[in-house]
Amino acid sequence: MKIAIYGYGNLGRGVEAACAACPDMELVGIFTRRDPRSVQPLFKNTPVFSSSEVLSHKSEIDVLILCGGSATDLPAMTPELAKHFNVIDSFDTHASIPEHFAAVHSAAEESGHLALISAGWDPGLFSIARAYAGAILPGGQAYTFWGRGVSQGHSDAIRRIPGVKDARQYTVPIEAALESVRRGENPQLTTREKHLRECYVVLEEGADAVKIEQEIKTMPNYFADYDTSVHFISEEELLRNHAGIPHGGRVIYTGRSGKEQEHGHVIEYSLKLDSNPEFTASVLVAYARAVGRMHSRGTVGCITVLDVAPGDLSPRSAADLRKDLL
Amino acid sequence: MKIAIYGYGNLGRGVEAACAACPDMELVGIFTRRDPRSVQPLFKNTPVFSSSEVLSHKSEIDVLILCGGSATDLPAMTPELAKHFNVIDSFDTHASIPEHFAAVHSAAEESGHLALISAGWDPGLFSIARAYAGAILPGGQAYTFWGRGVSQGHSDAIRRIPGVKDARQYTVPIEAALESVRRGENPQLTTREKHLRECYVVLEEGADAVKIEQEIKTMPNYFADYDTSVHFISEEELLRNHAGIPHGGRVIYTGRSGKEQEHGHVIEYSLKLDSNPEFTASVLVAYARAVGRMHSRGTVGCITVLDVAPGDLSPRSAADLRKDLL
């Protein structure tokens, strides 16, 4: 299967690496909006093209993996490119998914392509975990916890405060909440009861630590509704101990069965990821395989991870998977 | 959707209960090999028929849920009934799945029906967890742990020892092994290092406890390869503390990503079930829904959980699921 990468940041690099781990995949190249000569691919043999040339490579690409951001790139990019390619994206603005789906569906259906939106882990694998559990034990309750992991958005918010040189924010699930959910207590949890926010901040010389700590802790939307801890550290320590982009989380679903619903069950799906963008990229590559296959079977329009059977993600034959996994 | 139950033991009763929790499902009835008048359904309005009558109800049944055992019932039952019905079973003899699949596939395909075999949690949901993880992070390693839960087979093996009045055996995963796997150490684990076996035994009057304990601990296949503890208790205690059929377990998958595979990831899927047969039954009912749908879209032959998209398990519309779960 021939794939190509459209957009080359952390996610695009992750796709390049994930593709190299798949012997059934061939990477046609990277398409970038920057000057292609300024882009250093992970592997020196990976071709780099200007995104403006992408249409001239149409016949060489089975599935185009879109590695743009959800805020401004993907809402325009995915419907536009779905007119010419089978595409997949990781659109993750939850509230706008129905609208994005509609735009992509109409473009893909009209041109006879297949598009899959919102692949990744949340939305993505966590959505799948919620879907399975909810269908098997109707009437139960799903809880999603994120972390311990780096939130890029919250780290950026701290960095925008004057006097802050660099920062890293970790989202941390609260153990007592997890335990209550696992015991099947169906707790009603406030935002503050579910997650902590842990901040590591490097100050500019002469910055006022007390004032900045206060500013972080009271920042609306980002921190005001949470218990937040702020740790001032040196730039060296930040680079030494907080250079990675780990993340993860868990979906815990509790439901009941029996004539009188007398038996309780707990289904838990968790991820602990050393690299958030690389793992998301690995999910995209597996779903790109499914998109290629399903399109060759005649499926067109827009789909999501909820429409893909697990067997279609694997390069192995159905008989092989049955023998090994069942 | 109209479903019917074929075989009425613990699993069949679980299906009857699970069906009652699904407003989109109508239970046509229970088909039993016993005298129908001797069978007490959970709900007094559930019709009970003789299994010999099942063909005369053909036109009323969308999907027939087969609740027989894997050892002798299902290998004959599923291919035979797939000639006349869309069927689903929970066949769980791992090594014989390819052979069972082939027999069921040929019967179902020839008659234009759809059959799904080996639904449940292992095989079933655990197979799915292994499939997703293996496709996303190729080259990683999957570990499956069972328990803490009651193993019916091991409990039966103890009960067959002369002098034993009743017994319950719990399979218990070993915490140190779980932790090593979660740390990404890729341990090579022996049978003894993965699980303990914990036995609660009620003796007949005058039975020789020392001899029976020895007999259990050295029983080949069942106990000899494990660290086994034997606790002699009174019949009252057994009924009071060990009456349930809890089970569960977890699939832990560790894999890597990055140019040099420098980042590690841990994917864990776990179940903690108060009632093993009721949960398995709930899985069967959700997959019965998918079988009915996929058959009405033209799919025939034999499939497994690996061939079913998560969205097809839910009674909710695709748009609704996207809005809520993504």
Side-chain angles (χ1 to χ4, degrees), chain B residues 37-321:
Chain B
R37 286 163 303 185
S38 74
V39 169
Q40 282 282 5
L42 279 185
F43 297 97
K44 65 177 192 308
N45 292 332
T46 305
V48 183
F49 305 103
S50 165
S51 59
S52 62
E53 295 179 59
V54 70
L55 288 183
S56 66
H57 292 267
K58 212 167 146 164
S59 65
E60 304 154 38
I61 298 169
D62 294 320
V63 183
L64 186 60
I65 303 184
L66 310 184
C67 298
S70 294
T72 56
D73 297 338
L74 296 173
M77 203 182 261
T78 313
E80 184 54 38
L81 288 165
K83 292 180 189 165
H84 309 285
F85 297 92
N86 296 320
V87 296
I88 173 166
D89 77 18
S90 61
F91 185 76
D92 67 358
T93 312
H94 294 264
S96 308
I97 286 174
E99 186 189 342
H100 187 55
F101 183 92
V104 174
H105 186 65
S106 103
E109 201 176 34
E110 199 178 314
S111 66
H113 290 100
L114 181 60
L116 190 149
I117 62 161
S118 303
W121 57 275
D122 194 11
L125 301 178
F126 278 12
S127 317
I128 290 170
R130 292 186 280 260
Y132 278 113
I136 291 164
L137 297 175
Q141 211 165 333
Y143 293 84
T144 303
F145 292 89
W146 296 275
R148 189 175 194 264
V150 171
S151 162
Q152 218 59 55
H154 289 78
S155 301
D156 289 344
I158 300 172
R159 280 189 213 105
R160 283 192 294 265
I161 298 173
V164 170
K165 192 170 182 190
D166 203 351
R168 208 71 86 247
Q169 193 271 181
Y170 294 89
T171 306
V172 185
I174 294 176
E175 203 54 44
L178 293 177
E179 286 310 320
S180 168
V181 169
R182 288 190 187 117
R183 281 193 301 269
E185 294 170 353
N186 278 350
Q188 296 289 328
L189 297 165
T190 62
T191 297
R192 192 178 300 274
E193 287 167 334
K194 286 186 74 183
H195 297 94
L196 297 171
R197 300 208 173 273
E198 211 175 282
C199 312
Y200 294 85
V201 180
V202 180
L203 294 176
E204 305 272 14
E205 232 180 84
D208 181 343
V210 174
K211 187 163 160 279
I212 286 174
E213 176 165 349
Q214 193 54 22
E215 207 166 327
I216 294 172
K217 289 183 169 176
T218 57
M219 196 186 295
N221 302 319
Y222 286 91
F223 295 100
D225 297 337
Y226 297 85
D227 288 336
T228 300
S229 65
V230 178
H231 309 272
F232 294 104
I233 60 174
S234 67
E235 189 161 25
E236 294 68 42
E237 190 180 336
L238 189 91
L239 293 174
R240 193 172 62 242
N241 296 338
H242 305 282
I245 319 177
H247 217 316
R250 58 196 68 234
V251 172
I252 310 178
Y253 188 95
T254 56
R256 307 195 68 80
S257 72
K259 186 183 179 188
E260 314 283 354
Q261 300 277 290
E262 64 272 35
H263 292 123
H265 309 289
V266 185
I267 304 174
E268 182 164 344
Y269 181 77
S270 75
L271 297 172
K272 190 169 165 295
L273 312 174
D274 270 3
S275 165
N276 184 358
E278 283 178 8
F279 185 79
T280 301
S282 300
V283 176
L284 284 172
V285 169
Y287 276 96
R289 181 182 290 118
V291 165
R293 277 195 189 161
M294 292 172 75
H295 183 256
S296 72
R297 294 200 300 257
T299 311
V300 299
C302 188
I303 58 172
T304 74
V305 296
L306 301 174
D307 304 304
V308 178
D312 270 328
L313 301 175
S314 171
R316 302 168 63 195
S317 75
D320 230 41
L321 292 176

Side-chain angles (χ1 to χ4, degrees), chain A residues 82 104-114 300-302:
Chain A
V104 175
H105 186 65
S106 101
E109 200 175 36
E110 199 178 314
S111 66
H113 290 101
L114 181 60
V300 299
C302 189

Side-chain angles (χ1 to χ4, degrees), chain A residues 120-141:
Chain A
W121 57 275
D122 194 11
L125 300 178
F126 278 11
S127 317
I128 290 170
R130 293 186 279 259
Y132 278 114
I136 291 164
L137 297 175
Q141 211 165 332

